[in-house]
């Protein structure tokens, strides 16, 4: 049987190295090969994602860093060389009622700001200081119209918008006849001139109104008079303007204060709606001295009080000559203290401008 076996079924020969193990399973070798291939794929992905620190790549990164730094330095240079746009006046011409008018507006120009190097007059600082002490700005339609009616000679210069220019032709005619300057500007330019966005389309540079001394005022005999004393009242343009407006409304001719500059304010004048032109400012040295002068002149002194034991305003009997003191202090026995409301649950009373209106209405109805 063995001799008749075909030759192609001959016994295979195995050759193994001396340092290898015999009969190593085939599947184990295939598993090792597969593990090695998977591990190589992972290594390739990792090398793609990790930062390269080879000489060539490091040189490229260094060059990119230098480029970024140079770009940043050039940007800083551009910023340092950047100049803000300059607001430059733009002048146009138009016709209003057959009269040629030059309109000045504020526009943005790319020209560099030029520094003025002209020589100043030796008297320039003194002149500027004198003008600032004697002049003030008034803005707001009613305030400016009232000033033009009462003292047009004090107007130095006028700025107005095109819309307002159609309403104040009489003012422009007066200024032209008296060789005084006026400008027709846009709202942005007028906001810069007046310093407020509530300019009402017009602004005037004028001489300050004249102030009077309290001593000279009380020397003149009067049968009936009503005054308001402001000493001790906070410097608030809204309140002070409201007091001026209320005094003008009820015909009160004088306000006593030791600080006239509080009333000579553009914002105060605007809130007063022209009241500054109809009320005299009476300057005193201090509140206590002023009240002594008023008592000697026969004025009834009435103080606003929040005390419950103070007299009710309903039972208050007012004389023909009276002074209302809006702030607490300087009261003596012969003075009158009045409480505007005994039912007031608030910690504070009325606004000082509103309280002035209540007192003046009581005096008018006496």
């Amino acid at each position: 049987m063995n001799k008749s076996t075909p030759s192609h079924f001959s016994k295979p020969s195995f050759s193994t190295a001396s340092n290898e193990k015999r009969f190593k399973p085939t599947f184990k070798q295939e598993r090792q090969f597969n593990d090695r291939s998977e591990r190589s794929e992972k290594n390739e992905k990792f090398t793609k994602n990790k930062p390269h620190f080879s000489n060539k790549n490091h040189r490229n990164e260094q060059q990119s860093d230098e480029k970024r730094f140079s770009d940043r330095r050039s940007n800083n240079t551009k910023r340092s060389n950047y100049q803000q746009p300059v607001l430059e006046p733009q002048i146009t011409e138009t016709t209003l009622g057959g009269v040629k008018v030059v309109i000045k507006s504020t526009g943005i120009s790319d020209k560099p700001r030029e520094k003025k190097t002209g020589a100043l007059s030796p008297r320039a600082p003194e002149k500027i200081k004198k003008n600032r002490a004697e002049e003030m700005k008034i803005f707001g339609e009613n305030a400016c119209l009232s000033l033009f009616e009462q003292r047009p000679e004090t107007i130095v210069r006028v700025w107005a918008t095109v819309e307002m220019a159609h309403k104040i032709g009489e003012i422009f005619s007066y200024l032209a006849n008296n060789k005084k300057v006026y400008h027709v500007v846009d709202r942005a330019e007028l906001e810069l001139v007046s310093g407020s966005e509530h300019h009402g389309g017009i602004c005037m540079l004028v001489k300050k109104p004249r102030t009077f001394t309290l001593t000279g005022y009380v020397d003149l005999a009067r049968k009936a008079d009503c005054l308001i004393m402001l000493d001790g009242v906070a410097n608030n343009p809204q309140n002070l303007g409201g007091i001026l407006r209320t005094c003008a409304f009820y015909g009160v001719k004088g306000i006593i204060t030791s600080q006239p500059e509080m009333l000579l304010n553009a914002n105060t004048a605007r809130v007063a709606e022209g009241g500054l032109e109809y009320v005299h400012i009476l300057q005193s040295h201090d509140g206590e001295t002023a009240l002594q002068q008023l008592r000697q002149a026969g004025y009834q002194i009435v103080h606003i009080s929040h005390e419950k034991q103070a007299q009710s305003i309903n039972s208050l009997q007012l004389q023909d000559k009276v002074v209302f003191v809006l702030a607490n202090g300087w009261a003596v026995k012969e003075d009158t203290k009045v409480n505007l409301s005994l039912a007031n649950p608030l910690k504070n009373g009325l606004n000082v401008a509103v309280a002035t209106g209540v007192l003046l209405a009581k005096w008018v109805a006496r």
Side-chain angles (χ1 to χ4, degrees), residues 33-324:
F33 177 79
N34 294 336
D35 288 346
R36 194 178 301 113
S37 62
E38 291 177 0
R39 193 178 299 112
S40 63
E41 291 179 359
K42 291 181 180 179
N43 291 336
E44 289 179 1
K45 293 181 180 179
F46 179 75
T47 53
K48 288 181 180 180
N49 295 330
K50 72 177 182 178
H52 304 282
F53 295 98
S54 61
N55 292 334
K56 182 178 180 181
N57 294 332
H58 182 65
R59 192 179 301 109
N60 293 335
E61 289 185 0
Q62 187 176 5
Q63 292 176 358
S64 63
D65 290 340
E66 292 178 355
K67 183 178 180 181
R68 284 197 298 269
F69 178 75
S70 62
D71 292 342
R72 189 181 305 168
R73 185 169 54 188
S74 63
N75 290 335
N76 293 335
T77 306
K78 291 179 181 179
R79 291 178 184 175
S80 61
N81 295 333
Y82 173 76
Q83 293 183 352
Q84 294 183 352
V86 180
L87 295 178
E88 188 177 64
Q90 299 177 354
I91 299 176
T92 57
E93 295 182 357
T94 185
T95 304
L96 296 175
V99 179
K100 184 179 179 181
V101 177
V102 178
I103 301 177
K104 181 182 178 184
S105 61
T106 302
I108 297 177
S109 175
D110 295 332
K111 296 180 181 179
R113 188 183 298 275
E114 296 181 359
K115 188 175 181 181
K116 296 181 180 180
T117 58
L120 292 176
S121 170
R123 299 181 58 186
E126 297 179 1
K127 186 177 181 180
I128 293 174
K129 187 176 180 180
K130 181 181 179 182
N131 291 341
R132 288 180 179 177
E134 296 179 352
E135 298 173 352
M136 64 178 292
K137 287 183 179 178
I138 300 287
F139 53 83
E141 182 177 354
N142 292 333
C144 292
L145 293 179
S146 298
L147 186 143
F148 178 70
E149 292 177 359
Q150 297 299 313
R151 47 190 186 104
E153 69 282 354
T154 62
I155 299 176
V156 178
R157 191 184 298 264
V158 176
W159 296 264
T161 61
V162 177
E163 296 81 6
M164 183 58 63
H166 292 283
K167 300 180 181 180
I168 58 173
E170 184 180 357
I171 297 179
F172 281 176
S173 298
Y174 172 83
L175 296 175
N177 294 333
N178 290 272
K179 298 182 180 180
K180 295 188 176 183
V181 182
Y182 63 88
H183 308 273
V184 180
V185 299
D186 59 3
R187 296 189 64 86
E189 178 74 13
L190 190 56
E191 184 174 339
L192 294 175
V193 171
S194 63
S196 172
E197 59 182 0
H198 306 292
H199 46 68
I202 185 172
C203 177
M204 291 182 174
L205 179 66
V206 300
K207 298 292 184 181
K208 292 181 179 179
R210 180 185 176 187
T211 58
F212 301 88
T213 62
L214 179 62
T215 303
Y217 183 85
V218 297
D219 287 342
L220 300 176
R222 292 177 175 83
K223 294 182 178 179
D225 191 23
C226 179
L227 299 175
I228 297 293
M229 186 169 180
L230 288 182
D231 282 4
V233 176
N235 185 5
N236 186 325
Q238 298 293 327
N239 292 339
L240 297 177
I243 293 172
L244 282 169
R245 184 176 181 178
T246 304
C247 290
F249 180 80
Y250 284 107
V252 174
K253 300 298 183 183
I255 291 183
I256 305 169
T257 179
S258 59
Q259 299 176 337
E261 295 299 325
M262 291 196 313
L263 299 175
L264 301 178
N265 179 278
N267 290 305
T268 301
R270 180 189 66 84
V271 177
E273 297 285 346
L276 181 62
E277 308 304 323
Y278 301 95
V279 181
H280 300 304
I281 300 176
L282 307 178
Q283 187 174 3
S284 62
H285 294 288
D286 57 83
E288 187 175 0
T289 304
L291 290 178
Q292 291 178 358
Q293 294 176 343
L294 293 167
R295 293 187 190 102
Q296 295 174 0
Y299 282 85
Q300 179 187 9
I301 311 298
V302 179
H303 300 261
I304 297 178
S305 176
H306 303 300
E307 300 175 358
K308 296 296 182 182
Q309 60 271 24
Q311 186 177 355
S312 173
I313 190 172
N314 296 326
S315 60
L316 178 64
Q317 297 295 326
L318 293 176
Q319 301 176 6
D320 291 337
K321 297 173 64 175
V322 63
V323 177
F324 293 113

Side-chain angles (χ1 to χ4, degrees), residues 22-35:
R22 294 175 122 188
F23 308 108
K24 182 181 286 187
T26 306
F27 69 90
K28 189 172 182 181
Q29 292 178 358
E30 293 178 355
R31 185 177 180 183
Q32 289 179 354
F33 177 79
N34 294 336
D35 288 346

